[in-house]
Amino acid sequence: MSDGWNEIDTDLLVIGGGVAGSLAAIPALEAGLKVVICEKGRLLDHCGSVGCGVDHYLTVMDSGPEWDTPEFLIKHVPGLTDGIVDMAVTSKVIHQMPRILKKIESFGVDFKDPRIGDYYRLRSFGLPGTYHINFDGTDFKKLIGQQVRRGRATVLMRTMGVQLLIDDNRAYGALAFNFRTGEWFAIRAKAVMLAAGEVNRLSKNASGLAFDSWHFPYNTGDAHAMGYRAGAKLANMEFIESTLTPKGFSAQGLNALVSLGAYFVNKSGERFMFKYDEKGENARRAVLADAVVNEFLLGNGPIYVDLRHLPEDELDHMEATLQVDRYTMPAFYDQKKLNFREDLVEISVSEFSIRRSGVYFRGSGLAVDTNGETSVEGLFAAGDCATVSGGIAGAAVLGHIAGEGAVKRIHTSPRSLPEIDREAAGAIRAEAMGCLGRPDGMPWRELEDQTRQTVTDYVGVRRNDKGLRLALATLHALAEKEPTLQADDLHGLMRVYESKSIRLCAELMATTSLTRKETRTRSAHRRLDYPETDDRNWRKFIIVERGADGPAVSTLTTDRPLADAFGRAPERGEADVGT
Amino acid sequence: MSAPESATHNPIDIDPGKCVRCDFCDWICPGDLIYHEDGNKEKLPVVMYPDECWYCGLCQSICPADAITIIFPEEMIHNKTDVVSLLGKVVK
Ligand SMILES: Cc1cc2nc3c(=O)[nH]c(=O)nc-3n(C[C@H](O)[C@H](O)[C@H](O)COP(=O)(O)OP(=O)(O)OC[C@H]3O[C@@H](n4cnc5c(N)ncnc54)[C@H](O)[C@@H]3O)c2cc1C
Ligand code: SF4
Ligand code: SF4
């Protein structure tokens, strides 16, 4: 094709080299296939959400007791997800958890606690067993990255995937560019894996700084946007995920505090969680966030976390591990001059993201079947951009399943790769590069700021018909301005693409929120005009895809897998997989 | 750069006396914020897009010379926002 394009042909193209993308690459490399990974980061060993380390891993281990079996956890999933969950895919993920745990251990990840020489397992977020392994995951991503590099994948770093190549509902590659060098890539592949994470920078938080976010602010729904434009179906996009953070710094750490036994108290010093859930502070994340939202609205703020009652050794352990999830947390407390042994820690509700609405296994994003394949043939998805997700474990397990699914797809599709439409590809590149020579255009920051304000005001934790329609009108008007977006440099061009993905995902969220005429999972989807949960009419998935004039919405009852909406003939033997 | 006026807070301080100009911080920053010409032993790395910082501290954690300090801005350390303003407007 040339014309300044770097052309690459491969078997599997992975977009996003985080946890899910890396685990997806591994089975393909083991099968001797060629793998190309496009990743915005510079180092595979440190890129993505977990570049600074992790501290908990959710898994069943089949260690003996009944609660530790896949069957037991599977039985509880409908309750954990308020009935909106793809059980076919989830069951397969849970069944494969012990196998993938062992596989990751074989890469050198040590899940055991050196203090006890065994796995240290904790109960949190309303799960019906001590499923979280608490471990020092400082090198988790490094060891996974090393495994991928040992397999000799071609890794295109600082390279952003921007557009999928689709022919007759079949994915055959993508266009990408390097935001340091300005090189453009046209990559043809027999299968494509979307693993670009969740949607952040979507709403405002206390600090008002867009990149101060609980989750990785450089994951901006690019997988959702690329998949949507390619015709793939998405589900659960109406649900919000938010959490509780130290006020001013949107950071993790809630999990650790809650499992150690922290109390939440309001301005009157009242411990209020038991008003909302019999599990108190051990309720699901969605319930915790909802209770705090409610206390604020009742005028009971400020809200604090109280750790002062905890035994000294627990506090010592907490202090020693404070930096594992977020390296800078000790520096934050330090600069704030706050001592949690003596002071209450003021908290806030975080910004929202589109991820998995505070519950395990119900992901918001690209609908997949039990092979991790989306409704577009040859297009796979895993991790926080797919409809079944659950932290690093969910990303690792579904990533591996999807990698195996892609290998199968590559082996069973003899079709040769279509030629790339030069004109169409050239037009996409020209449009992108046009942003650089447009000094009077609209800065990407403005598109993003307006999207964030709209989501905060009308698509957040208090939704109603009028507000959602107002939000959609604003988001549509913003879309009209996208052709005038401006960037100062190649780095800014990356941000232009990100801000467009964020706006599109906000539109999909507002559209599907308008459809779901009930309240479910508390403030994850609270409709003030439909305050009750309505199982009779709404125990359904809301599926959204590209229609003739914008997003088209349909529903599917949750006793069926999302793949039933794909219209793809099931494989032989598929019906009994993991159900 | 089109960073707004109010966003001039520099999230990281690089000690010129300690920095050995090794490129690591440029490589590890997940936001592509830190720029340093590969192998240039004269120039210090530059934070090109300070208002896009995640405050993750990866740059500090990888720096072999202990030259980086994270500095949180005032709106993070002493936050005055009314949280209720983040909880939406009700259109009647
Ligand atoms: C600080 C922190 C701590 C956490 N701790 C835990 C924990 O202890 N336990 C747990 O279970 N979960 C934890 N999580 C959540 C967990 O990290 C995620 O659920 C998990 O990483 C999801 O995997 P993923 O592959 O979908 O996303 P990621 O691992 O974030 O990978 C996505 C990758 O895609 C890349 N990308 C994005 N867009 C593009 C594009 N257009 N082109 C190319 N590349 C792109 C990104 O650079 C990134 O590397 C934590 C998250 C954070 C932020
Ligand atoms: S703190 Fe993180 S985001 Fe900020 S400059 Fe350092 S590495 Fe980059
Ligand atoms: S990592 Fe440290 S020593 Fe290396 S260039 Fe950056 S500041 Fe200097």
Side-chain angles (χ1 to χ4, degrees), chain A residues 322-551:
Chain A
L322 205 56
Q323 85 295 350
V324 175
D325 240 8
R326 198 65 172 266
Y327 184 80
T328 45
M329 192 53 94
F332 177 74
Y333 285 134
D334 220 41
Q335 287 178 36
K336 208 174 155 55
K337 300 194 175 35
L338 186 135
N339 175 359
F340 52 75
R341 290 169 195 268
E342 288 160 18
D343 306 322
L344 293 171
V345 183
E346 190 178 348
I347 59 170
S348 171
V349 178
S350 73
E351 68 291 331
F352 317 133
S353 58
I354 303 179
R355 189 165 168 256
R356 59 179 158 83
S357 50
V359 301
Y360 280 95
F361 305 114
R362 180 180 68 200
S364 301
L366 292 150
V368 292
D369 67 13
T370 51
N371 290 315
E373 194 166 17
T374 69
S375 61
V376 173
E377 206 181 285
L379 183 65
F380 293 76
D384 283 344
C385 64
T387 40
V388 172
S389 86
I392 48 175
V397 179
L398 185 58
H400 195 273
I401 289 172
E404 289 178 322
V407 170
K408 237 186 341 185
R409 177 57 81 197
I410 290 164
H411 283 146
T412 55
S413 324
R415 213 166 76 142
S416 61
L417 292 167
E419 285 304 317
I420 296 176
D421 180 340
R422 289 158 157 274
E423 244 174 74
I428 286 163
R429 185 176 58 181
E431 190 194 323
M433 299 311 267
C435 298
L436 297 176
R438 196 179 286 140
D440 301 327
M442 182 188 195
W444 60 266
R445 282 189 176 80
E446 206 174 304
L447 181 78
E448 258 193 59
D449 281 343
Q450 292 192 28
T451 301
R452 266 192 294 280
Q453 191 65 55
T454 306
V455 171
T456 306
D457 288 345
Y458 307 116
V459 200
V461 290
R462 291 194 285 170
R463 299 167 163 174
N464 71 15
D465 185 275
K466 277 203 180 135
L468 289 167
R469 286 182 198 279
L470 188 64
L472 279 169
T474 310
L475 292 167
H476 292 153
L478 285 174
E480 300 281 317
K481 295 191 188 156
E482 283 183 2
T484 69
L485 280 171
Q486 170 252 322
D488 296 329
D489 49 22
L490 290 165
H491 170 95
L493 182 56
M494 162 172 68
R495 298 283 183 249
V496 164
Y497 272 109
E498 292 174 351
S499 61
K500 288 204 263 188
S501 298
I502 294 168
R503 191 218 57 83
L504 174 60
C505 290
E507 182 183 342
L508 300 183
M509 184 178 231
T511 306
T512 48
S513 306
L514 195 57
T515 306
R516 186 175 286 286
K517 293 186 174 51
E518 63 154 358
T519 290
R520 195 172 285 266
T521 315
R522 309 201 184 196
S523 49
H525 175 69
R526 164 155 298 152
R527 284 286 300 255
L528 298 176
D529 43 355
Y530 298 97
E532 303 301 325
T533 300
D534 176 1
D535 271 333
R536 210 162 65 87
N537 292 305
W538 287 106
R539 195 157 173 166
K540 287 177 184 156
F541 295 111
I542 295 178
I543 298 172
V544 62
E545 65 192 299
R546 200 189 55 195
D549 332 288

Side-chain angles (χ1 to χ4, degrees), chain A residues 14-22 38-41 46-58 132 135 141 156 159-162 176 195-198 213-223 226 252 255 324-326 355-356 360 382-386 389-396 498, chain B residues 30 54:
Chain A
V14 179
I15 299 182
V19 178
S22 297
C38 275
E39 165 55 51
K40 289 200 291 196
H46 293 279
C47 68
S49 302
V50 302
C52 351
V54 277
D55 66 356
H56 58 277
Y57 187 94
L58 164 78
H132 273 120
F135 75 116
K141 183 71 210 304
L156 303 175
T159 302
M160 178 182 206
V162 296
E198 74 280 32
S213 94
W214 169 39
H215 281 294
F216 193 63
Y218 315 109
N219 283 348
T220 51
D222 296 349
M226 278 187 270
Q252 358 305 111
N255 194 37
V324 175
D325 240 8
R326 198 65 172 266
R355 189 165 168 256
R356 59 179 158 83
Y360 280 95
D384 283 344
C385 64
S389 86
I392 48 175
E498 292 174 351
Chain B
W54 186 28

Side-chain angles (χ1 to χ4, degrees), chain A residues 31-53:
Chain A
L33 297 174
K34 281 188 288 183
V35 177
V36 172
I37 301 177
C38 275
E39 165 55 51
K40 289 200 291 196
R42 168 69 180 80
L43 302 169
L44 192 64
D45 296 2
H46 293 279
C47 68
S49 302
V50 302
C52 351

Side-chain angles (χ1 to χ4, degrees), chain A residues 42-43 46 48-49 51-52 158 179-180 204-207 209 211-218 247-250 252 293 296-297 326-328 331-332 335-336 347-349 352 443-445 453 456-458 461-462 464 466-467 470 486 488-489 491 494-495 528, chain B residues 1-4 6-7 9 23-38 48-62 66 69-73 75-92:
Chain A
R42 168 69 180 80
L43 302 169
H46 293 279
S49 302
C52 351
R158 286 178 171 154
F179 47 79
R180 282 278 177 120
K204 293 180 65 169
N205 65 13
S207 75
L209 302 172
F211 290 78
D212 162 35
S213 94
W214 169 39
H215 281 294
F216 193 63
Y218 315 109
K247 194 171 180 216
F249 187 20
S250 258
Q252 358 305 111
V293 165
F296 274 115
L297 292 174
R326 198 65 172 266
Y327 184 80
T328 45
F332 177 74
Q335 287 178 36
K336 208 174 155 55
I347 59 170
S348 171
V349 178
F352 317 133
W444 60 266
R445 282 189 176 80
Q453 191 65 55
T456 306
D457 288 345
Y458 307 116
V461 290
R462 291 194 285 170
N464 71 15
K466 277 203 180 135
L470 188 64
Q486 170 252 322
D488 296 329
D489 49 22
H491 170 95
M494 162 172 68
R495 298 283 183 249
L528 298 176
Chain B
M1 245 174 54
S2 63
S6 63
H9 171 83
D23 305 329
F24 286 1
C25 52
D26 170 331
W27 287 15
I28 205 163
C29 174
D32 185 47
L33 315 188
I34 309 178
Y35 280 58
H36 181 251
E37 195 185 315
D38 266 358
M48 290 278 282
Y49 311 96
D51 64 327
E52 298 171 21
C53 179
W54 186 28
Y55 294 91
C56 64
L58 267 172
C59 51
Q60 183 185 20
S61 76
I62 205 161
D66 208 8
T69 313
I70 303 287
I71 303 176
F72 289 96
E75 59 264 57
M76 294 180 79
I77 294 290
H78 298 118
N79 189 267
K80 302 261 185 323
T81 303
D82 176 5
V83 177
V84 175
S85 74
L86 306 171
L87 304 179
K89 293 182 179 157
V90 181
V91 194
K92 294 252 162 65

